[in-house]
Amino acid sequence: MAADMRLPTIRKPVSISAFDRKDLVVPGDVITSDTGFMRGHGTYVDEDKLTASVAGEVQRVDKLICVRPLKTRFNGEVGDVVVGRITEVQQKRWKVETNSRLDSVLLLSSVNLPGGELRRRSAEDELTMREYLQEGDLISAEVQSVFSDGALSLHTRSLKYGKLGQGVLVQLSPSLIKRQKTHFHNLPCGASIILGNNGFVWLYPTPGQQEEEAGGFYTSLEPVNLSDREVISRLRNCLLALAAHKVLLYDTSVLYCYESSLQHQVKDILKPEVMEEIVMLTQQKLFEQEG
């Protein structure tokens, strides 16, 4: 029977002093004793000192101080890109699971019709809703508005949004996704990635050409070749490694981690010692780039 043995090895010392975080707090930590600051979410005043009530990252906006929790459900804002799963088909709307406290809503009037037609939605469209999206389908969408109870209203009125085809879904913490101008990236390694602000990351083979006639409902069901599957599997393991070490996820960090992992087999990336080595190399590259 095959056995996987790990022997101790001498590792190169890596300086991590540059990565020490001064803005991370735990409940009870005093953020500031200056009374000129305003109290935001995740803080309370104790004996005239502003104190953290949750574990997370301190954020300052002018005189307002709040603490963003490291582990939380998704609190959506208008314009956020999300990846979600259809959970229910209702009258003129779909319910979508987006890792938030309440199910999000995708209205029939907020999706493109097949063929890109611009017209009012009729009763016939309502009867054929399951032909567009049904329970279990994965979609990419954008937050259009936030209801008073905190539920999100989504829309897919752009060709870059819509139903997702073949790929891999990785579920991570929303606090690890870095906000950027675009969350759709075609990586040079041959795969594409959608970094949803809600912590759902979608990995898929880079499509050769975009099918515009389908209005976002076309999904390719052709077999994915072995090399593309290996690249996607490696990227998935890299994402899990970065998330385990609480590294912010964006196109550059994912690509650096992918490059650092090429000397290891895909199945070895999630071994603790290999994971630590790959993440250290990634952090060094990011620090050199920023420095």
Side-chain angles (χ1 to χ4, degrees), residues 251-265:
D251 55 334
T252 308
S253 65
V254 172
L255 193 57
Y256 282 169
C257 187
Y258 178 86
E259 291 169 353
S260 303
S261 72
L262 289 175
Q263 57 187 322
H264 301 283
Q265 291 187 9

Side-chain angles (χ1 to χ4, degrees), residues 41-233:
H41 292 294
T43 64
Y44 65 95
V45 177
D46 182 28
E47 297 180 356
D48 293 332
K49 294 178 182 177
L50 197 61
T51 310
S53 62
V54 294
E57 179 186 6
V58 177
Q59 293 184 331
R60 290 177 168 85
V61 181
D62 295 330
K63 290 287 183 180
L64 177 69
I65 293 182
C66 56
V67 179
R68 184 186 177 198
L70 290 177
K71 192 173 183 181
T72 180
R73 292 291 239 172
F74 173 57
N75 293 314
E77 299 175 13
V78 175
D80 281 353
V81 174
V82 298
V83 174
R85 190 183 294 276
I86 303 292
T87 56
E88 196 177 340
V89 182
Q90 296 182 341
Q91 187 176 13
K92 294 187 179 179
R93 68 187 61 202
W94 291 271
K95 283 291 185 78
V96 189
E97 158 60 20
T98 54
N99 198 22
S100 50
R101 291 183 179 87
L102 298 168
D103 277 349
S104 303
V105 173
L106 177 64
L107 295 172
L108 178 59
S109 58
S110 299
V111 301
N112 279 334
L113 292 172
E117 292 180 77
L118 296 174
R119 57 176 173 79
R120 290 177 66 89
R121 309 303 189 262
S122 63
E124 188 179 338
D125 292 319
E126 198 175 335
L127 290 171
T128 57
M129 280 176 64
R130 277 183 205 277
E131 294 181 13
Y132 305 154
L133 296 167
Q134 59 184 352
E135 291 91 341
D137 284 349
L138 284 164
I139 62 165
S140 61
E142 184 178 305
V143 178
Q144 183 176 25
S145 60
V146 182
F147 294 119
S148 57
D149 61 354
L152 306 177
S153 175
L154 310 178
H155 81 87
T156 62
R157 284 202 209 92
S158 169
L159 287 177
K160 64 182 179 180
Y161 303 127
K163 188 175 174 180
L164 299 174
Q166 299 194 97
V168 173
L169 179 68
V170 187
Q171 299 185 21
L172 306 169
S173 171
S175 60
L176 294 175
I177 307 295
K178 184 177 181 179
R179 289 182 181 274
Q180 292 184 288
K181 286 184 178 178
T182 176
H183 286 256
F184 293 76
H185 302 286
N186 293 333
L187 302 177
C189 57
S192 297
I193 186 170
I194 302 175
L195 291 161
N197 285 110
N198 59 334
F200 287 5
V201 180
W202 180 251
L203 298 165
Y204 61 104
T206 303
Q209 57 184 11
Q210 183 69 31
E211 187 72 38
E212 297 193 2
E213 295 298 318
F217 293 107
Y218 170 80
T219 55
S220 172
L221 296 178
E222 294 178 7
V224 181
N225 60 50
L226 181 61
S227 59
D228 285 343
R229 293 205 301 271
E230 285 184 351
V231 168
I232 291 172
S233 300

Side-chain angles (χ1 to χ4, degrees), residues 30-38 48-50 63 65:
V30 175
I31 301 172
T32 180
S33 54
D34 190 348
T35 56
F37 286 99
M38 294 168 60
D48 293 332
K49 294 178 182 177
L50 197 61
K63 290 287 183 180
I65 293 182

Side-chain angles (χ1 to χ4, degrees), residues 1-9 268 271 273:
M1 189 175 75
D4 184 14
M5 296 182 62
R6 304 185 207 170
L7 300 175
T9 57
D268 294 335
K271 291 179 179 176
E273 64 276 7

